[in-house]
Amino acid sequence: MKKAFPVLWRYALVVVVSCALAFFISQNTAHAAARSTVENANPNIYGVAGPFMVQTLDLAWRDESRNRDIPMRVEFPKTESGVKKTFPLIVFSHGLGGSREGGVMWGQHWASHGYIVVHPQHVGSDETLWKGLKPREIIPNMKRAMSLENASARAADIKWVLDEITRQQQAGRAPFTNVDRGHIGMSGHSLGGQTTFAVIGQTNPLLPTMVSRDDRITAAIAFSPNARTKMALDKQYGSISMPVLSITGSNDGSMLDEGTSPEDRWLPYQTMPGGNLGHKYLLSFVDGDHMVFGGHAITRRPETNRDRQIQAGVKASTLAFWKATLNDDSAAKKWLEQGDFKATLVSADVFEFK
């Protein structure tokens, strides 16, 4: 009996240690599984660069019918030689005083995921408005360029560019041979956002007979949109019947002292129909100003960590939108609409859709 106690004690100790070890392992496994579930529930897969290397091509196109030059930048996925593959097309329209370099940050990201992105430069409302001028001359010059004539010319640029891409494709010229002309998106920043609305169905109360809608376009993104003419907004935007993502920020106000408030940039979203006429999305970043949405290097002020956060959010949301609309990707639409994207934002950001 005296020898039995040490044996029983050792046995009990082994049992206790084994149970404790099993409990510890099971708890760690459960915690790891929980962490994995949390991490995998919200992957920001749309914010990282895609699988394609991106090539860039600068072109000098000319619309002879209008005696008008249209400088172009094209960003496109690099494909293996001899491999025939088509990609959706996205057109980006720069803001007032911009150039074909406007939006290249967004274009590079989209192209890396399998889109061909073209950036036309709109002569008359481009960088020639300020280059080489004295500072006191720039603002008046830019205000004069915000004219109905330039609005009409910009919309005509987009139509001509789409026509020319068709001609280039039919002539067998790369990279346009790889354009999927059945899936075309339109986007633009600031005045380019207004150009975007003009070619997707907005009516201008000052030009009621002008019809610039291009039915080849099936989805659109407007950065820093603005309803410059505030009358009859429901009529202006009421016939836009495709998916549209509007992106702005809480500091995205006037750039030319013309009275635009950050709230004004919500108006197109608020007055466009949704549902069966195409989902409409609104994304507003707290502390986001006008320059951060231009898609190019910020030069007027130092770049901040918040700028980089906003740029990351723009890349993710816009790519998911394009995949959902131009590629009919149900997983991207679910990620955008069912909470995963919103979970990547800070609490003061706004994301909603209808």
Side-chain angles (χ1 to χ4, degrees), residues 250-283:
S250 62
N251 295 339
D252 191 3
S254 171
M255 292 297 293
L256 296 175
D257 299 321
E258 85 284 9
T260 299
S261 70
E263 293 74 22
D264 288 335
R265 302 195 187 276
W266 290 40
L267 292 174
Y269 166 77
Q270 291 171 336
T271 53
M272 282 186 289
N276 293 334
L277 293 179
H279 281 189
K280 305 303 190 291
Y281 303 82
L282 173 69
L283 175 57

Side-chain angles (χ1 to χ4, degrees), residues 16-33 35:
V16 169
V17 171
S18 298
C19 290
L21 185 60
F23 176 78
F24 177 78
I25 292 172
S26 68
Q27 288 296 99
N28 277 335
T29 301
H31 289 159
R35 285 195 302 273

Side-chain angles (χ1 to χ4, degrees), residues 6-21:
V7 173
L8 290 174
W9 182 84
R10 286 196 296 272
Y11 176 76
L13 182 61
V14 169
V15 170
V16 169
V17 171
S18 298
C19 290
L21 185 60

Side-chain angles (χ1 to χ4, degrees), residues 248-253 262 266 283-293 298 301-311 346-350:
T248 184
S250 62
N251 295 339
D252 191 3
W266 290 40
L283 175 57
S284 180
F285 291 94
V286 66
D287 297 329
D289 68 3
H290 199 69
M291 301 311 299
V292 75
F293 300 115
I298 298 173
R301 58 170 177 76
E303 188 177 70
T304 67
N305 286 333
R306 181 57 180 156
D307 291 329
R308 289 183 280 274
Q309 290 173 352
I310 290 172
Q311 290 164 348
V346 302
S347 60
D349 293 338
V350 175

